[in-house]
Amino acid sequence: MSDTTQVLTINRLGARGDGIADTPEGPIYVSYALPGEVVRVSIPAPDPHTGRAARSSTGRAEARATLIAIETPSAQRQTPECALYTRCGGCTTQHMEETTYREWKRESVVTALTRAGINTPVDALIDAHGTGRRRVTFHGRRKNDEDAIGFMAARTHALVPVDHCPVLDPDLARAPQVALDLAKLLLPKGKPLDIQVTATDAGLDVDIRGHGPAGEALRRILTGAAERLDLARLSLHGDRIVERHAATIAMGRGRVTPPPGGFLQSTALGEETLARLVMEACAAASTRIRRTADLFAGCGPFALRLAEIAEVHAVESGAAALAALDRAFRAAPGLRRITTEERDLFRRPLLPMELNQYDAVVFDPPRAGAEAQSHEIAKSKVPLVIAVSCDVGTFARDAKILIEGGYTPQRITPVDQFRHSSHVETVGVFTRAEIKKRRR
């Protein structure tokens, strides 16, 4: 069976920014299409063995079409800013004009909450792109004896070579060339590479994954390359090869040197915005905040700011991140005490008897959310809980747990630091209402 060509009318936008055509046979997803547009598409034939539609990256069957032409464009369509758009899989919404984009991204939070049974107002989307993303990961590949670095095409493992990316911070302007120069030293070994480049106060910080351990000869070669490329730090699988300058990031009054490859908010303005919302919630609390817990604390983007007003207990599973936080705290002036605890909060969340000593709890988990920890918070007496999340689905799940445990949402704010993507950060502020009597 061969692919078929159809003309469709796009009715709505999906959660990932796809245009969706509602047909008698079910929804058909079309990337880069907008509501109201009439488009000509190619629809893949069903699997010849099963007769079923192709499966998405999530494993679910879905009808997905490839855009061939736009017969009737939407007034909400704009010209993409990047020449690689639709080829590179990094951005998915450069064709949306600003108002449509902002409404769609905010609505993704509203929809997730509604599906979880939560009916509460959601603030307008805050633009936190700032000067651009301060961290990027390039993929390095060798094909036909040629070395290349770039991003992956959408829904494939095909490499799209990149020498410029408009969503990156200007401090990363030379990052593609740096990544390619380093890849040329390592790709002859035959292994594909992931090259993470971060803009720090002292210059570029690079961590390379995929090669394996470096012997003494390679370490000397990479040290020379770091000197030639004027890198602040160069690491291989988190193993520091050379640190020519302290690869610091300013966080409040602290200056943190994150561990190689360690987590960092995507944009500087994104981190500042999330922290500002956390601090505003503490300032608006009905009682004075004296002691706080920062769960999934990382290397301290919230803890180092919270310590300006209260004592902080930072809990994180990564020892290297906690060590970076502790060093920054000890060198920062005028902060209240920060204590740290290495602990896997997925397997061993803080219990109510531990939580009850705090006036406020902040948690910012990975994409999987904080389900186990949310259940324990819901059983606690903490008066103020601030949830920060990079995934609207797990945020809604965790928020529902808190609400069912007696918390009331005071403010839900979506924050956009991942411009031109479907990702959105969400900050939720919850206060303790009267504890409901639970049925036995």
Side-chain angles (χ1 to χ4, degrees), residues 26-228:
I28 298 178
Y29 295 79
V30 185
S31 297
Y32 317 117
L34 294 171
E37 292 187 330
V38 177
V39 298
R40 184 155 43 92
V41 301
S42 173
I43 301 178
D47 187 292
H49 301 291
T50 65
R52 298 174 181 173
R55 292 191 173 271
S56 71
S57 58
T58 63
R60 295 179 298 181
E62 62 178 29
R64 176 165 294 279
T66 300
L67 181 64
I68 298 175
I70 301 169
E71 305 287 351
T72 305
S74 166
Q76 281 70 52
R77 177 171 289 277
Q78 67 177 16
T79 302
E81 62 179 310
C82 180
L84 295 178
Y85 186 59
T86 73
R87 291 177 53 204
C88 166
C91 292
T92 58
T93 64
Q94 287 190 20
H95 62 292
M96 291 186 197
E97 63 87 28
E98 184 69 14
T99 300
T100 301
Y101 170 79
R102 292 176 63 85
E103 290 177 351
W104 161 73
K105 187 159 272 195
R106 175 187 174 276
E107 191 62 28
S108 69
V109 177
V110 174
T111 299
L113 292 172
T114 301
R115 287 175 177 169
I118 302 171
N119 182 19
T120 190
V122 175
D123 292 350
L125 181 76
I126 296 177
D127 180 2
H129 178 72
T131 56
R133 299 186 193 181
R134 59 185 176 182
R135 169 166 290 184
V136 61
T137 298
F138 296 102
H139 305 291
R141 301 291 185 271
R142 165 163 279 204
K143 187 175 181 180
N144 299 326
D145 292 328
E146 291 190 3
D147 301 322
I149 61 96
F151 304 137
M152 294 301 183
R155 299 183 183 86
T156 76
H157 294 291
L159 186 72
V160 179
V162 171
D163 58 15
H164 169 72
C165 177
V167 301
L168 299 184
D169 187 287
D171 286 345
L172 288 174
R174 67 188 187 95
Q177 186 59 54
V178 166
L180 181 59
D181 286 352
L182 292 170
K184 288 179 179 295
L185 299 176
L186 301 174
L187 282 173
K189 302 293 184 180
K191 295 182 179 180
L193 304 172
D194 291 334
I195 305 170
Q196 184 184 85
V197 188
T198 303
T200 75
D201 299 333
L204 298 184
D205 176 26
V206 181
D207 183 46
I208 304 172
R209 307 273 165 150
H211 179 274
E216 286 303 317
L218 180 57
R219 295 180 81 91
R220 287 194 295 271
I221 292 172
L222 291 175
T223 298
E227 183 75 24
R228 172 171 52 83

Side-chain angles (χ1 to χ4, degrees), residues 415-431:
V415 176
D416 185 21
Q417 65 170 331
F418 298 99
R419 181 177 290 177
H420 299 317
S421 81
S422 61
H423 300 299
V424 59
E425 299 274 347
T426 311
V427 179
V429 179
F430 302 84
T431 56

Side-chain angles (χ1 to χ4, degrees), residues 343-351 354 372-374 376:
R343 182 163 172 171
D344 184 342
L345 293 170
F346 293 108
R347 297 183 178 182
R348 199 163 63 89
L350 266 67
L351 301 176
E354 298 172 279
Q373 185 62 77
S374 295
E376 300 304 324

